[in-house]
C-alpha cells in the first residue's frame, strides 16, 4: 500500500471497537516503543482517573503488581524492549494484555487484541490506541463519528499542511514543534513523524514548561533562522497568552497550528493527522520514501 493510502485508513481505524475486559485495578502501565509506544502517551493525556505509567524501556516500574493493568503495544510483536517488559510484568503477576499484529508477542498466550498487519506501525496509530481508549474511556459514537469525519476532510484536502511542508523544505529548516496539554504527546508524535517519514531531525517541547527553559535560546540562540517554529493553538487562555508573550519577547514567529473538532478525542486524532500530512509532504518534496525505515530495521537485526 502507498504511504498516502496508509494515512487514509486512519478515519476507519478510529472506529476500531475492540477493548479489554478489566475488573478492579489500581494503576495502568503501557509499554511500547516508537510508533507503537505513542499509543500509551496519547492515552495518558486523555485519562487521569487512575495513575498511568508509560514505559519505553526494557524494565518496568517497581510498583507493578497483581493490581496493575499492563498493556504491551507492539505492531510487529517483536520489539526487544517491549517483550522484555512483558516478561517482567508477568513475573510480577500483573494483568498482562497485548495489542499487536502478530510476532512473538502474538504467540505468548496472553490476552491479545490482534490488529491488521501490512501498515507501518506509525500509520496504525488508531488500531494501536483505540483498544486502550475503548477499555478505559469509552468514547461516544458521536465523538468517533466526528473524528472520522474530520479525518476524512483532511484526507480530501491537505493543502495547508502541504504549504507548511513547502516552507520547511524551502529553507531546509529543522522543525520545532510546541504543544501544550492535552497535546504534549502529539507534539512528540510530530517529532517522530518528521524523523521517520521525512528523515529530518526535529525537536518538540510544550507550554508552559518551555517558558522555563527554551525561552532563553528562543531569544538568544545561534542559527535561529535554521529552525521552523510551530505552536499548537490552545483552548486555554493562559496558554494562548504565553504563546503570544513568548513570540513577542523572544522575537520569534510561530506558525500557529489550528485544532479542529469539539471532543478531546476528535481533536487529538485531527492533530495527529495534521502532523501525518506535513511530514508526508516533506518526504515527498525531498524525494524520500516515507515508508523507508531501513536504518531502524538494520539496527534491530544487528542487536538481535
Ligand atoms: C514506526 C516504526 C518504529 C516502530 C518501533 C517499534 O512506524 O516503524 O518506530 O514502531 O521500532 O516497533 P513495533 O511498533 O513493531 O513494536
Amino acid at each position: 500500500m502507498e504511504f498516502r493510502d496508509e494515512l487514509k485508513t486512519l478515519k476507519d481505524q478510529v472506529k476500531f471497537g475492540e477493548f479489554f475486559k478489566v475488573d478492579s485495578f489500581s494503576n495502568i502501565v503501557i509499554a511500547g516503543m516508537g510508533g507503537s509506544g505513542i499509543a500509551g502517551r496519547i492515552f495518558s493525556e486523555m485519562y487521569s482517573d487512575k495513575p498511568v505509567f508509560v514505559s519505553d524501556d526494557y524494565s518496568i516500574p517497581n510498583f507493578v503488581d497483581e493490581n496493575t493493568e499492563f498493556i504491551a503495544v507492539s505492531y510487529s510483536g517483536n520489539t526487544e524492549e517491549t517483550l522484555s517488559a512483558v516478561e517482567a510484568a508477568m513475573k510480577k503477576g500483573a494483568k498482562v494484555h497485548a495489542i499487536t499484529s502478530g510476532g512473538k508477542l502474538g504467540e505468548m498466550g496472553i490476552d491479545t487484541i490482534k490488529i491488521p498487519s501490512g501498515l507501518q506501525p506509525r500509520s496504525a496509530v488508531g488500531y494501536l490506541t483505540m483498544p486502550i481508549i475503548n477499555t478505559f474511556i469509552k468514547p461516544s459514537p458521536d465523538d468517533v463519528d466526528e473524528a472520522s469525519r474530520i479525518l476524512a476532510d483532511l484526507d480530501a484536502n491537505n493543502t495547508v499542511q502541504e504549504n507548511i511542508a513547502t516552507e520547511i523544505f524551502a529553507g531546509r529548516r529543522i522543525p520545532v514543534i510546541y504543544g501544550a496539554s492535552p497535546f504534549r504527546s502529539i507534539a512528540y508524535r510530530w517529532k517522530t513523524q518528521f524523523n521517520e517519514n521525512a528523515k529530518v531531525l526535529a525537536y518538540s517541547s510544550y507550554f508552559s514548561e518551555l517558558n522555563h527553559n527554551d525561552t532563553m535560546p528562543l531569544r538568544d540562540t545561534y542559527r535561529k533562522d535554521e529552525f521552523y517554529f510551530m505552536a499548537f493553538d490552545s483552548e486555554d487562555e493562559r496558554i494562548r497568552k504565553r504563546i503570544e508573550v513568548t513570540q513577542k519577547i523572544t522575537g520569534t514567529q510561530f506558525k500557529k497550528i489550528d485544532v479542529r473538532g469539539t471532543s478531546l478525542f476528535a481533536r487529538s486524532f485531527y492533530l495527529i493527522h495534521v502532523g501525518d500530512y506535513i511530514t508526508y509532504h516533506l518526504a515527498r518534496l525531498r524525494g524520500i520514501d516515507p515508508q523507508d525505515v531501513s536504518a531502524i530495521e538494520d539496527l534491530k537485526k544487528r542487536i538481535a
Side-chain angles (χ1 to χ4, degrees):
M1 199 190 293
E2 292 278 319
F3 192 70
R4 196 173 180 134
D5 293 327
E6 290 193 25
L7 296 186
K8 288 182 181 169
T9 65
L10 189 58
K11 60 180 175 303
D12 296 320
Q13 292 185 38
V14 294
K15 297 181 179 165
F16 189 59
E18 295 288 316
F19 59 91
F20 297 110
K21 288 190 188 70
V22 293
D23 202 0
S24 63
F25 62 94
S26 43
N27 53 64
I28 304 169
V29 174
I30 304 170
M33 307 300 298
S36 291
I38 199 74
R41 293 173 194 254
I42 292 165
F43 167 74
S44 72
E45 280 197 274
M46 293 180 169
Y47 175 93
S48 58
D49 291 356
K50 297 258 174 88
V52 178
F53 186 91
V54 177
S55 166
D56 54 1
D57 204 348
Y58 288 95
S59 59
I60 59 170
N62 274 340
F63 68 74
V64 171
D65 62 17
E66 59 281 359
N67 295 312
T68 300
E69 294 291 349
F70 185 95
I71 303 179
V73 188
S74 171
Y75 191 75
S76 64
N78 291 323
T79 298
E80 185 175 289
E81 299 92 315
T82 312
L83 293 172
S84 157
V86 168
E87 274 168 24
M90 286 166 80
K91 276 193 197 132
K92 294 268 212 146
K95 295 175 262 193
V96 181
H97 316 271
I99 303 168
T100 184
S101 71
K104 292 181 191 148
L105 188 58
E107 289 162 10
M108 287 178 85
I110 51 184
D111 179 29
T112 297
I113 290 177
K114 275 267 173 81
I115 60 175
S117 58
L119 297 169
Q120 287 296 321
R122 58 193 176 283
S123 301
V125 61
Y127 290 131
L128 294 164
T129 313
M130 287 314 298
I132 313 173
I133 294 177
N134 292 337
T135 302
F136 299 105
I137 302 176
K138 300 182 184 61
S140 73
D142 282 353
D143 291 355
V144 172
D145 284 349
E146 184 197 20
S148 185
R149 203 173 52 246
I150 59 177
L151 293 172
D153 288 350
L154 208 45
D155 291 336
N157 184 352
N158 40 78
T159 313
V160 171
Q161 292 70 39
E162 186 172 7
N163 290 342
I164 292 175
T166 304
E167 284 178 21
I168 295 171
F169 182 63
R172 306 294 193 272
R173 292 200 267 168
I174 303 294
V176 174
I177 311 110
Y178 287 146
S181 181
F183 305 129
R184 292 171 303 185
S185 59
I186 298 177
Y188 179 71
R189 155 82 177 184
W190 281 36
K191 175 237 176 256
T192 64
Q193 290 290 77
F194 275 109
N195 297 156
E196 292 188 75
N197 296 343
K199 282 69 164 168
V200 295
L201 284 175
Y203 170 83
S204 70
S205 187
Y206 46 87
F207 286 95
S208 61
E209 172 64 14
L210 74 87
N211 281 147
H212 303 275
N213 33 68
D214 279 35
T215 304
M216 286 311 299
L218 277 174
R219 194 189 70 188
D220 295 339
T221 190
Y222 41 61
R223 300 184 167 189
K224 190 164 158 185
D225 56 355
E226 294 182 13
F227 297 96
Y228 185 90
F229 299 97
M230 292 166 272
F232 297 167
D233 197 9
S234 175
E235 289 181 310
D236 185 334
E237 281 307 322
R238 295 168 301 182
I239 298 296
R240 286 194 153 182
K241 188 170 177 188
R242 282 178 179 274
I243 294 174
E244 288 314 313
V245 175
T246 304
Q247 290 188 101
K248 203 164 177 187
I249 65 170
T250 65
T252 313
Q253 194 62 44
F254 300 146
K255 184 80 178 180
K256 195 181 87 186
I257 305 293
D258 294 326
V259 191
R260 274 190 63 194
T262 47
S263 66
L264 172 59
F265 176 77
R267 289 167 72 77
S268 299
F269 276 99
Y270 175 78
L271 199 46
I272 287 168
H273 217 35
V274 170
D276 292 346
Y277 274 106
I278 296 174
T279 57
Y280 159 73
H281 283 299
L282 184 58
R284 195 179 49 71
L285 291 163
R286 291 194 70 200
I288 273 176
D289 175 6
Q291 287 174 319
D292 175 32
V293 282
S294 49
I296 295 173
E297 280 163 2
D298 185 23
L299 183 137
K300 286 183 183 179
K301 274 193 208 116
R302 285 175 194 234
I303 53 153

